[in-house]
Amino acid sequence: MNAQNVVESLKKRFPNEPEYIQAVSVVLNSIEEEYNKHPEFEKANLIERLCIPDRIFTFRVSWVDDKGNVQTNMAYRVQHNMAIGPYKGGIRFHSSVNPSILKFLAFEQTFKNSLTTLPMGGAKGGSDFSPRGKSNNEVMRFCQAYLLELWRHIGPDTDVPAGDIGVGGREVGYMFGMYRKLAHDFTGTFTGKGLEFGGSLIRPEATGYGNVYFLTSMLATRNIELKGKKVLVSGSGNVAQYTCEKLLQLGATPLTLSDSNGYIYDPDGITREKLDYVMELKNVQRGRIKEYAEKYGCKYVEGARPWGEKADIALPSATQNEINADDAKKLVANGVIAVSEGANMPCTPEAIKIFQDAKILYAPGKAANAGGVATSGLEMSQNSERLSWTREEVDAKLKGIMADIHANCVKYGKEADGTINYVKGANVAGFMKVAKAMMAQGII
Ligand code: NDP
């Protein structure tokens, strides 16, 4: 396999899908050497079968807003790969959602799920519906209308959706309710459910906590402690909030948060009390991060991202391509020692190269943020055995899984000079398991 040729051919077949091509390109370049050690893979054209999703459902969703107007949105489910388990991946509601973004996310999800060591295939879904500014009833009607079509394509052993940007506990609750009504079946078909109806303790916290656990493992390879470090966090949703919570528990200081309008910089640090305010502001009031700066009298920068501020560590936790080459140069110049991705693909390929050349610790999302889907896997197990595990049990399992993912990255990503290429490590480890499963199952 020549990675560049495969990417060029995919670009011709899918010309308007830059995010998908970007994700495929990063993965293929990092697995090329390992792949070419297995001529049987090439003979079975494994690479095309692995890059192109099994199927994509595209449909219109119609719903009625509070003024009585009929609205339409486009919606999708990308079922990427089922070789190692049922399709599994979140649902995103955001105005930017399109097939390219969902294909990149489903592709990444396949390797991420493989890395968790749990039996889950890869998928992703969503709609260009934006919950921002909508009433509770409008969000509920949209979720129900989305499920009217989606429900026939999912199931506990077929495809198990969860949350992502714009989809939290509220939305999962409405979708699960509609699913069980239509399917006439109470099963573990969604994860991220409320605790009263099959949800798992620690699932809301898992992505942010998992990223901080992974970060501590990376720092440990250089005998550095997290305690006392200053941290730039972007986003202010689920992942960002629980990243801050774990940082505070481990003695680090988050300095920034953001949303799609701008970022706040609090030189005194975002304390537990201030984080409680952010949780109320974002999860209940559904306000803007600017209001934090107004309340606590700190800096707010409209239309910008926090990467020019000075700190020791950066944890991008908002969205794709939020750190470009210029941002990466600023981070390196300011002496950042580690960048660990809470979001999916937040760093552009140019930014990743700058981090790797500077030999700072850099972890891709498919490893660092895998704690979310791993805990979703644990929710599926609890649903299947109709039992609930304690907070301590789930957290211990999450810690163990993040440590295993780190160990796998080290195993496959150790370079001759002793440094660890986490991109290569994560991609090769995730890829090999799916590849072997596909080879064993024949050409289908
Ligand atoms: P939320 O919707 O809870 O929060 C997203 C945050 O990012 C919000 O602050 C939002 O601001 C901001 N944001 C969204 N889009 C943009 C944009 N285009 N530009 C700038 N800011 C933006 O989502 P999550 O916290 O769940 O997800 C964050 C990231 O983490 C995503 O990349 C997601 O794929 C990834 N992830 C999430 C997992 C999970 O378990 N939830 C698991 C693994 C990865 P605003 O309110 O203005 O939209």
Side-chain angles (χ1 to χ4, degrees), residues 181-211:
K181 175 130 185 142
L182 291 164
H184 201 57
D185 223 6
F186 194 105
T187 61
T189 297
F190 276 83
T191 58
K193 300 185 290 295
L195 290 177
E196 306 78 8
F197 50 98
S200 173
L201 287 160
I202 301 284
R203 176 60 189 92
E205 294 90 336
T207 309
Y209 278 21
N211 190 18

Side-chain angles (χ1 to χ4, degrees), residues 92-94 96 104-105 109 112 124 130 132 162-168 203-204 206-208 234-241 257-262 282-283 287-289 305 316-320 322 341-346 365 369-373 376:
R92 178 176 291 193
F93 290 164
H94 194 269
S96 63
F104 114 65
L105 288 164
Q109 193 82 46
K112 182 191 303 188
K124 204 81 188 190
S130 170
R132 193 174 339 146
D164 190 73
I165 291 177
V167 177
R203 176 60 189 92
T207 309
S234 64
S236 48
N238 171 271
V239 179
Q241 291 170 19
L257 284 171
S258 69
D259 60 23
S260 39
N261 293 98
K282 285 288 171 183
N283 309 343
R288 311 306 299 155
I289 201 64
R305 299 180 292 229
S317 307
T319 192
Q320 64 274 358
E322 56 168 318
E341 296 184 343
N344 285 310
M345 207 167 77
N369 72 34
V373 72
S376 276

Side-chain angles (χ1 to χ4, degrees), residues 207-338:
T207 309
Y209 278 21
N211 190 18
V212 178
Y213 294 151
F214 194 89
L215 171 70
T216 54
S217 297
M218 281 207 297
L219 293 174
T221 64
R222 297 193 182 172
N223 296 319
I224 301 171
E225 268 207 358
L226 178 59
K227 199 169 170 192
K229 297 288 178 296
K230 296 195 161 150
V231 187
L232 305 177
V233 179
S234 64
S236 48
N238 171 271
V239 179
Q241 291 170 19
Y242 289 105
T243 296
C244 289
E245 182 165 292
K246 188 49 78 180
L247 287 171
L248 289 171
Q249 286 171 7
L250 298 182
T253 308
L255 297 179
T256 61
L257 284 171
S258 69
D259 60 23
S260 39
N261 293 98
Y263 78 88
I264 58 109
Y265 171 72
D266 188 340
D268 300 330
I270 298 161
T271 58
R272 177 71 248 184
E273 182 203 335
K274 291 171 179 173
L275 181 59
D276 286 341
Y277 167 76
V278 171
M279 288 178 167
E280 167 78 16
L281 175 72
K282 285 288 171 183
N283 309 343
V284 183
Q285 310 296 335
R286 303 198 182 265
R288 311 306 299 155
I289 201 64
K290 183 177 161 182
E291 295 167 52
Y292 178 106
E294 286 158 9
K295 184 169 168 69
Y296 294 110
C298 70
K299 177 162 111 179
Y300 170 72
V301 187
E302 179 81 18
R305 299 180 292 229
W307 315 123
E309 303 293 347
K310 195 162 168 43
D312 306 303
I313 291 164
L315 302 178
S317 307
T319 192
Q320 64 274 358
N321 293 330
E322 56 168 318
I323 297 186
N324 61 24
D326 284 345
D327 299 321
K329 280 181 203 154
K330 282 185 215 157
L331 288 166
V332 171
N334 276 336
V336 151
I337 52 175

Side-chain angles (χ1 to χ4, degrees), residues 96-141:
S96 63
V97 162
N98 60 36
S100 172
I101 288 178
L102 295 181
K103 276 174 71 178
F104 114 65
L105 288 164
F107 174 80
E108 286 284 292
Q109 193 82 46
T110 299
F111 300 108
K112 182 191 303 188
N113 292 1
S114 164
L115 264 182
T116 65
T117 70
L118 302 175
M120 300 181 289
K124 204 81 188 190
S127 169
D128 57 9
F129 169 81
S130 170
R132 193 174 339 146
K134 305 288 191 305
S135 71
N136 244 322
N137 278 336
E138 288 176 324
V139 170
M140 180 179 74
R141 285 197 294 275

